[in-house]
């Protein structure tokens, strides 16, 4: 064993040496190990550091090894640049021959396809010749000391300091070499930053002056602030947008000039803002919309002679066929005749018309005559029928399960902008068995048919179309069938849905109202083993068995999603998202004499109230580091005929890749209840744990590593509970005097591969506080040691997922 350890140790040392950053450097070459800034006190150090070229390679701490450089070197070892250049030459020659044939034969379809293919291949090869093969593009070469890049960095940082009010600044650098390693220190002398002492505007246009005064509080230029050229750029853009939204159609930011006068003694600046006169008129004028033309162009010349003309709400419609509803289209045009030009409203109108999913494109242009505008809206019909197929993987219980889905859309079904849609989905999912059968593949199948109306249906009147059109209203009517085949049971359900959706103009708030959600659920097959579990629970006072009877489940629900600052883009600005959900199930049963569920019930009915609030926050620290957190609270309360039981799909479950990640999916809790263990040991919980309340909080520190790779450190806190005592699960009920002691805590590290279009996630999570253990013994993180880096069996869980957890 000792000999084997020595061999492994020496092999590791050899690998580290082979991957060394300074390996195989030529004479006079130095690997850049550190860029350091000194003397920065008031300037933005992160912004200055971002201007330094090149960046140092990401290195494993305490080692002279960079994973990115290693990947690059592996790719370079089998990259043949001469072979790529030869292929480029061959393809360019082939392209020339194709062009010669096209000149003699005309636009031959096969030749055109060959030409496009050859051009695409040449572009791909040129990209490969410049940036290398896939591994080289994934990794990165060694950052070398380069005097020309140092000079460029100094110039860029000096320009940044000047543009941000440090007019008396100076900058130098010092290079230190140790062996083949180079260390650069950039020495910054900031000098005092200049403050804005006064701001004044020169213009003889009183209407512009009035608007500037009315919105002066929104200005990016404020007295007392540090001078920054970025604020001038932002102010120029703000004024242009403000004036264009108030009728100044011909205005552009090129008419705005800024003059900065410096006071080197007082370290202050005066900013003069001048509004230049236009060359084509005496002054900037306000433009009004005099006419609106809406044209649906034919998809080809075949229908060019078939035109239908109508007029509604001051809009002149021209259709190539009588197949469109001018009422629907007019409701999405948010500006009127005689209204002042407003660029934001025009852009929003374009979005609303595009959201109808009826047209390939929507263009809005304006013709001018004096100060009058003629709005021209040009569209072309999208394809009548659209078939979409999708193949992918869903991740459950850490196992990828394949699925296939297909969707058929028929646009403008009733000639009123309606969408007829048929959907089919079939898939396999990995789910832990409740009868000790391990992890298996659950088969699922779903089919549905729906009609989406671009307006509110009953009980709204037709006049509401014009009133609510700006909120992009939609009504979905749907019927469907779902089938699930698990080893314990087979479950099927028929459902019907009447749903309303709408959103505010800036899409900041989205609303959904499910006016009627009706389901008839059957469980035609239950295995004897699983039925025995349900009967044992029933004998102990738990009526979960009723959730597996034929059931009639109906509900009314509503959801609101409030998006603050474009959450989901994950760019440089802090952003948040709040989701609120409320549901009332079996509401109409309050007006009937339906009896409660009992042992003689043939078709179960349920009544319940449910509420959930989910808040998410994303806060970037700098370009590479981000904090993100999520807080989730939900409660569901059965009442009336339910006799304390919810439909199984309405329960809350804790644990899993998007919940408390140190526990397997749907296995945490409830409360301090210790679930029955399977044959796999202490943390083998084979049975899902439904609950009526959930509290979750997830905190992540995310950092970019290199290329596509990111890492995350996270802490998850939470649990689930039932409302009221549960004799079959001691400690499962929620109580104010102890719930905080029953919060499970898991922590871990994650690796993410962000390909822009796809994020692959690996999270290694370990249990730190386990509420299933006796009070005083719930700290289990000390099970982890050098000899047992993952603790006891089942304490550490590896989660594999697609996308971020929140």
């Amino acid at each position: 064993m000792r000999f084997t350890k020595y061999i492994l140790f020496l092999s590791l040392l050899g690998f580290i040496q082979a991957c060394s950053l300074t390996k195989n450097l030529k004479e006079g070459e130095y690997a850049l190990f550190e860029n350091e800034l000194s003397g920065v006190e008031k300037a933005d150090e992160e912004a200055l550091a971002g201007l330094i070229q090149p960046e140092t390679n990401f290195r494993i701490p305490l080692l002279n090894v960079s994973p990115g450089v290693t990947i690059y070197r592996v790719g370079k070892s089998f990259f043949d640049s001469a072979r790529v250049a030869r292929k480029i030459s061959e393809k360019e020659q082939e392209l020339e021959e194709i062009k010669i044939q096209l000149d003699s034969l005309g636009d031959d379809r096969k030749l055109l396809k060959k030409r496009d293919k050859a051009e695409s291949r040449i572009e791909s090869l040129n990209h490969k010749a410049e940036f290398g093969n896939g591994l080289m593009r994934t990794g990165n070469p060694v950052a070398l000391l380069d005097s020309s890049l140092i000079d460029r960095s100094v110039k860029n940082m000096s320009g940044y300091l000047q543009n941000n009010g440090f007019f008396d600044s100076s900058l130098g650098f010092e290079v230190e070499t140790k062996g083949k390693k180079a260390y650069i220190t950039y020495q910054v002398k900031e000098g005092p930053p200049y403050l804005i002492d006064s701001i004044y505007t020169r213009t003889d246009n009183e209407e512009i002056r009035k608007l500037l005064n009315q919105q002066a509080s929104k200005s990016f230029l404020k007295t007392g602030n540090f001078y920054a050229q970025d604020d001038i750029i932002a102010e120029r853009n703000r004024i242009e947008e403000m004036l264009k939204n108030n009728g100044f159609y011909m205005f552009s930011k090129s008419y705005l000039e800024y003059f900065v006068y410096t006071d080197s003694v007082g370290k202050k600046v005066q900013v003069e803002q001048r509004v230049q006169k236009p060359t084509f008129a005496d002054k900037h004028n306000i433009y009004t919309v005099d006419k609106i033309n809406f044209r649906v162009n034919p998809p080809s010349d075949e229908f060019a002679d078939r035109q239908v003309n109508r007029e509604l709400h001051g809009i002149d419609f021209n259709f190539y066929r009588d197949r469109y509803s001018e009422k629907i289209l007019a409701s999405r045009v948010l500006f009127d005749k005689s209204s002042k030009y407003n660029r934001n409203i025009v852009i929003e109108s374009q979005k609303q018309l595009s959201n109808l999913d009826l047209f390939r494109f929507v263009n809005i242009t304006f013709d001018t005559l004096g100060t009058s505008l003629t709005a021209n809206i040009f569209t072309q019909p999208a394809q009548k029928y659209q078939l979409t197929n999708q193949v992918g993987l869903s991740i459950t219980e850490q196992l990828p399960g394949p699925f296939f889905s297909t969707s058929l859309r028929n646009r403008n079904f009733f000639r009123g902008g309606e969408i007829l849609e048929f959907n089919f989905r079939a898939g396999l999912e990995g789910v832990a068995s409740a009868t000790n059968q391990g992890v298996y593949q659950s088969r699922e199948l779903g089919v549905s048919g729906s009609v989406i109306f671009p307006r509110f249906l009953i009980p709204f009147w037709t006049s509401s179309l014009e009133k609510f059109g700006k909120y992009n209203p939609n009504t979905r009517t749907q019927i469907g069938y779902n089938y699930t085949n698990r080893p314990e049971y087979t479950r099927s359900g028929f459902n019907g849905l009447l749903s309303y959706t709408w959103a505010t103009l800036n899409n900041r708030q989205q609303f959904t109202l499910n006016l009627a959600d009706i389901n008839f659920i059957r469980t035609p097959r239950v295995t004897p083993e699983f039925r025995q579990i349900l009967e044992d629970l029933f004998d102990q006072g738990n009526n979960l068995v009723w959730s597996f009877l034929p059931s009639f489940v109906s509900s009314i629900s509503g959801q609101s999603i409030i998006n603050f600052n474009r959450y989901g883009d994950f760019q440089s600005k802090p952003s948040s998202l709040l989701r609120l959900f409320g549901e009332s199930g079996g509401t109409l049963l309050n007006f009937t004499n339906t009896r409660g569920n009992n042992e003689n019930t043939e078709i179960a009915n349920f009544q319940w109230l449910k509420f959930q609030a989910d808040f998410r926050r994303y806060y970037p620290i700098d370009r590479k580091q981000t904090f993100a957190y999520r807080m989730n609270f939900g409660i569901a309360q059965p009442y009336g005929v339910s006799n304390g039981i919810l439909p199984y799909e309405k329960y809350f479950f804790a644990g899993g890749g998007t919940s408390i990640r140190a526990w397997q999916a749907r296995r945490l809790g409830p409360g301090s209840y210790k679930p029955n263990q399977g044959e796999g040991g202490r943390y083998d919980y084979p049975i899902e744990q439904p609950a009526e309340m959930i509290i979750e909080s997830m905190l992540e520190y995310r950092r970019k590593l290199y290329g596509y790779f990111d890492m995350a450190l996270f802490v998850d806190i939470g649990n689930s509970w039932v409302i009221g005592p549960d004799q079959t699960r001691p400690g499962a009920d929620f109580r104010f005097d102890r719930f905080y002691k029953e919060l499970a805590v898991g922590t871990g590290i994650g690796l993410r591969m962000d390909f822009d279009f796809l994020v692959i996630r690996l999270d290694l999570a370990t249990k730190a506080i386990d509420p299933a253990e006796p009070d005083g013994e719930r700290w289990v993180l000390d099970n982890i040691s050098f000899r047992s880096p993952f603790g006891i069996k089942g304490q550490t869980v590896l989660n594999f997922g697609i996308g971020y957890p929140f």
Side-chain angles (χ1 to χ4, degrees):
M1 287 295 295
R2 286 184 178 179
F3 181 73
T4 303
K5 289 180 179 178
Y6 290 141
I7 293 296
L8 290 174
F9 179 71
L10 291 174
S11 299
L12 179 61
L13 287 180
F15 174 77
I16 291 173
Q17 179 61 29
C19 297
S20 170
L21 282 175
T22 55
K23 182 180 174 61
N24 296 330
L25 290 182
K26 298 177 182 178
E27 184 68 28
E29 287 186 339
Y30 298 90
L32 182 58
F33 256 57
E34 186 175 300
N35 288 316
E36 185 179 350
L37 280 169
S38 67
V40 180
E41 297 179 359
K42 295 182 179 181
D44 188 335
E45 187 169 353
E46 181 195 351
L48 285 169
L51 298 172
I52 298 176
Q53 297 178 346
E55 292 186 7
T56 57
N57 299 113
F58 169 79
R59 302 190 303 276
I60 297 176
L62 305 180
L63 298 177
N64 184 20
V65 175
S66 169
V69 172
T70 302
I71 293 172
Y72 179 86
R73 285 173 173 171
V74 171
K76 189 177 181 180
S77 65
F78 56 83
F79 176 67
D80 188 346
S81 57
R83 184 167 174 264
V84 173
R86 189 168 57 253
K87 284 186 175 181
I88 292 173
S89 178
E90 291 172 357
K91 282 295 177 182
E92 287 178 343
Q93 185 177 353
E94 179 185 334
L95 180 59
E96 287 300 320
E97 292 174 356
I98 293 172
K99 289 181 177 179
I100 292 171
Q101 293 180 51
L102 282 171
D103 290 339
S104 60
L105 298 177
D107 292 340
D108 182 80
R109 182 176 296 179
K110 290 184 179 180
L111 287 174
L112 288 172
K113 188 177 290 187
K114 284 184 177 181
R115 182 196 65 185
D116 294 341
K117 188 175 180 180
E119 289 177 344
S120 177
R121 180 61 176 158
I122 290 171
E123 183 180 355
S124 176
L125 287 169
N126 283 328
H127 185 73
K128 190 173 184 179
E130 183 177 0
F131 299 104
N133 55 31
L135 283 176
M136 293 172 69
R137 294 193 296 270
T138 300
N140 50 314
V142 177
L144 298 175
L145 180 66
D146 188 331
S147 59
S148 64
L149 292 179
I150 294 176
D151 293 338
R152 186 184 302 175
S153 299
V154 170
K155 183 178 179 180
N156 290 340
M157 286 189 285
S158 297
Y160 176 86
L161 291 169
Q162 291 290 319
N163 290 336
N164 284 273
F166 295 93
F167 297 120
D168 300 331
S169 62
S170 62
L171 203 144
F173 66 91
E174 187 177 280
V175 179
E176 181 182 358
T177 58
K178 295 180 181 179
K180 286 292 184 177
K181 303 174 184 178
Y183 303 82
I184 306 176
T185 301
Y186 292 94
Q187 301 153 338
V188 179
K189 294 182 180 179
E190 293 178 338
Y194 282 56
L195 301 178
I196 297 178
D197 180 58
S198 61
I199 306 162
Y200 55 96
T201 302
R202 285 191 178 182
T203 178
D204 56 2
N205 191 312
E206 291 302 320
E207 292 168 329
I208 291 179
R209 186 185 298 278
K210 183 178 178 181
L211 285 171
L212 290 174
N213 291 335
Q214 288 176 350
Q215 300 195 28
S217 61
K218 298 179 181 180
S219 174
F220 290 93
L221 298 174
K222 298 184 183 298
T223 56
N225 286 359
F226 292 144
Y227 169 82
Q229 192 176 52
D230 285 346
D231 290 339
I232 289 180
I233 294 172
E235 178 66 4
R236 176 180 278 153
N237 292 333
R238 183 191 74 86
I239 291 175
E240 180 190 37
E241 182 178 6
M242 177 192 69
L243 294 179
K244 281 186 174 293
N245 291 336
N246 283 273
F248 290 91
Y249 172 74
M250 299 297 291
F251 190 87
S252 71
K253 57 188 175 186
S254 61
Y255 292 112
L256 289 169
E257 291 186 351
Y258 290 85
F259 297 87
V260 178
Y261 305 99
T262 59
D263 177 2
S264 59
V265 177
K267 309 301 180 184
K268 298 177 181 179
V269 299
Q270 293 179 335
V271 180
E272 180 186 357
Q273 178 177 261
R274 295 181 188 176
V275 181
Q276 302 294 334
K277 290 184 178 181
T279 57
F280 53 85
D282 294 335
K283 67 171 186 175
H284 295 285
N285 292 305
I286 293 177
Y287 287 72
T288 56
V289 178
D290 185 55
K291 188 177 182 181
I292 304 175
N293 298 321
F294 195 118
R295 181 180 177 86
V296 179
N297 294 321
S300 66
D301 295 336
E302 178 184 353
F303 306 102
D305 58 341
R306 305 181 190 180
Q307 296 183 355
V308 177
N309 294 290
R310 293 198 185 94
E311 191 274 339
L312 180 68
H313 302 319
I315 304 176
D316 295 324
F317 290 94
N318 181 281
F319 304 144
Y320 79 96
R321 274 185 172 181
D322 188 14
R323 291 190 174 182
Y324 294 90
S325 169
E326 60 272 17
K327 293 181 180 179
I328 294 295
L329 299 178
S331 70
R332 296 319 200 253
V333 179
L334 308 181
F335 54 92
D336 305 314
K337 285 178 62 173
S338 304
S339 64
K340 290 193 298 185
Y341 172 78
N342 186 313
R343 183 168 67 175
N344 281 351
I345 294 299
V346 171
I347 293 173
E348 192 62 38
S349 299
Q350 192 172 21
K351 289 181 182 178
Q352 295 280 14
L353 290 168
S354 298
N355 288 338
L356 291 173
D357 194 25
L358 296 175
F359 307 109
R360 292 181 182 177
F361 62 83
V362 177
N363 291 333
I364 302 179
T365 63
F366 291 89
D367 296 330
T368 61
L369 180 61
T371 58
S372 297
L373 297 175
T374 298
N376 299 301
I377 305 174
F378 298 103
T379 65
Q380 190 177 68
Q383 190 176 355
K384 175 70 173 174
Y385 297 96
Q386 180 181 356
L387 181 65
T388 303
N389 297 315
Q390 187 177 24
V391 178
L393 294 175
S394 59
I395 310 298
T396 311
E397 295 287 347
Q398 325 314 324
L399 287 182
F403 70 86
F404 168 76
S405 66
T406 184
S407 172
L408 175 64
R409 295 169 72 85
N410 182 343
R411 294 183 172 91
N412 205 27
F413 184 62
F414 296 124
R415 300 188 180 184
E418 301 85 1
I419 305 291
L420 174 65
E421 188 173 75
F422 294 99
N423 291 288
F424 170 83
R425 188 183 191 278
L428 300 175
E429 290 188 356
V431 185
S433 169
T435 53
N436 295 321
Q437 298 183 38
V439 176
Y440 61 85
Q441 295 297 310
S442 169
R443 289 171 287 177
E444 293 194 352
L445 183 146
V447 293
S448 66
S450 58
V451 180
I452 305 169
F453 298 86
R455 59 188 180 278
F456 290 137
L457 293 182
I458 55 173
F460 296 96
W461 302 101
T462 55
S463 59
S464 66
L465 183 61
E466 182 180 351
K467 183 178 180 181
F468 299 120
K470 62 183 178 180
Y471 299 113
N472 192 28
N474 281 295
T475 302
R476 176 184 287 271
T477 58
Q478 177 177 299
I479 57 173
Y481 170 78
N482 295 295
Y483 170 84
T484 303
N485 187 344
R486 298 173 48 149
E488 300 98 345
Y489 59 82
T490 299
R491 196 169 177 88
S492 62
F494 292 92
N495 61 77
L497 178 69
L498 174 62
S499 175
Y500 292 142
T501 61
W502 67 98
T504 55
L505 281 180
N506 55 9
N507 217 33
R508 181 179 178 182
Q509 300 178 51
Q510 303 172 39
F511 302 93
T512 301
L513 174 62
N514 296 321
L515 198 61
D517 188 355
I518 302 171
N519 297 267
F520 179 69
I521 302 171
R522 295 177 65 249
T523 312
R525 182 186 65 83
V526 178
T527 62
E529 296 85 357
F530 188 58
R531 182 168 291 280
Q532 186 62 49
I533 292 175
L534 295 174
E535 290 178 356
D536 291 344
L537 291 173
F538 183 76
D539 292 339
Q540 299 174 58
N542 187 314
N543 297 322
L544 186 63
V545 65
W546 292 340
S547 287
F548 293 88
L549 292 176
S551 307
F552 180 77
V553 179
S554 64
S555 68
I556 300 173
S557 63
Q559 176 178 274
S560 172
I561 298 177
I562 306 172
N563 194 324
F564 303 92
N565 207 10
R566 298 171 64 89
Y567 182 88
D569 283 354
F570 298 144
Q571 298 299 320
S572 59
K573 295 182 179 179
S575 56
S576 309
L577 183 139
L578 175 63
R579 173 182 171 269
L580 300 174
F581 174 81
E583 184 176 39
S584 174
T587 310
L588 296 179
L589 296 178
N590 291 308
F591 304 100
T592 66
N593 294 322
T594 304
R595 296 183 179 182
N597 299 326
N598 54 56
E599 59 271 15
N600 298 318
T601 297
E602 294 183 359
I603 298 180
N605 289 282
F606 299 93
Q607 290 178 286
W608 74 93
L609 296 173
K610 186 175 184 178
F611 172 78
Q612 187 172 6
D614 185 350
F615 179 76
R616 306 175 182 198
R617 176 74 170 169
Y618 170 89
Y619 189 86
I621 304 171
D622 53 38
R623 293 183 301 115
K624 292 187 176 182
Q625 302 179 91
T626 302
F627 273 116
Y629 64 87
R630 176 194 180 203
M631 293 183 290
N632 180 39
F633 169 78
I635 185 170
Q637 181 63 56
Y639 71 95
V641 300
S642 292
N643 285 345
I645 298 298
L646 291 167
Y648 197 69
E649 291 77 10
K650 301 299 178 181
Y651 281 105
F652 294 105
F653 296 89
T658 57
S659 180
I660 311 300
R661 282 164 279 188
W663 274 259
Q664 288 186 326
R666 305 161 78 93
R667 299 302 191 274
L668 172 59
S672 56
Y673 168 65
K674 188 174 184 64
N676 294 328
Q677 298 174 358
E679 299 177 355
R682 175 172 169 180
Y683 290 115
D684 180 17
Y685 301 144
I687 300 177
E688 297 178 352
Q689 298 298 329
E692 296 164 351
M693 176 186 287
I694 191 169
I695 298 176
E696 292 177 324
S697 179
M698 307 166 70
L699 174 66
E700 280 198 355
Y701 165 75
R702 300 170 183 171
R703 181 182 177 86
K704 291 185 179 297
L705 296 180
Y706 65 92
Y708 307 117
F709 295 93
D710 302 341
M711 60 83 70
L713 300 174
F714 58 85
V715 176
D716 302 333
I717 304 172
N719 206 340
S720 61
W721 293 266
V722 297
I723 307 299
D726 184 343
Q727 298 178 0
T728 64
R729 297 186 288 180
D733 57 323
F734 178 86
R735 292 190 181 179
F736 282 103
D737 60 349
R738 72 164 196 256
F739 85 93
Y740 58 92
K741 300 178 182 179
E742 298 172 339
L743 292 172
V745 178
T747 185
I749 187 169
L751 177 68
R752 286 82 191 272
M753 286 160 278
D754 189 347
F755 301 104
D756 291 333
F757 64 92
L758 174 69
V759 176
I760 298 176
R761 172 167 52 91
L762 293 172
D763 288 334
L764 189 67
T766 188
K767 300 173 180 64
I769 297 178
D770 184 1
E773 295 300 310
D775 195 7
E777 302 177 19
R778 292 173 178 170
W779 177 258
V780 296
L781 193 61
D782 54 6
N783 292 329
I784 293 177
S785 63
F786 182 77
R787 291 188 174 183
S788 301
F790 302 113
I792 64 176
K793 185 177 180 180
Q795 182 171 347
T796 300
V797 177
L798 177 64
N799 292 275
F800 173 69
I802 304 296
Y804 290 101
F806 59 93

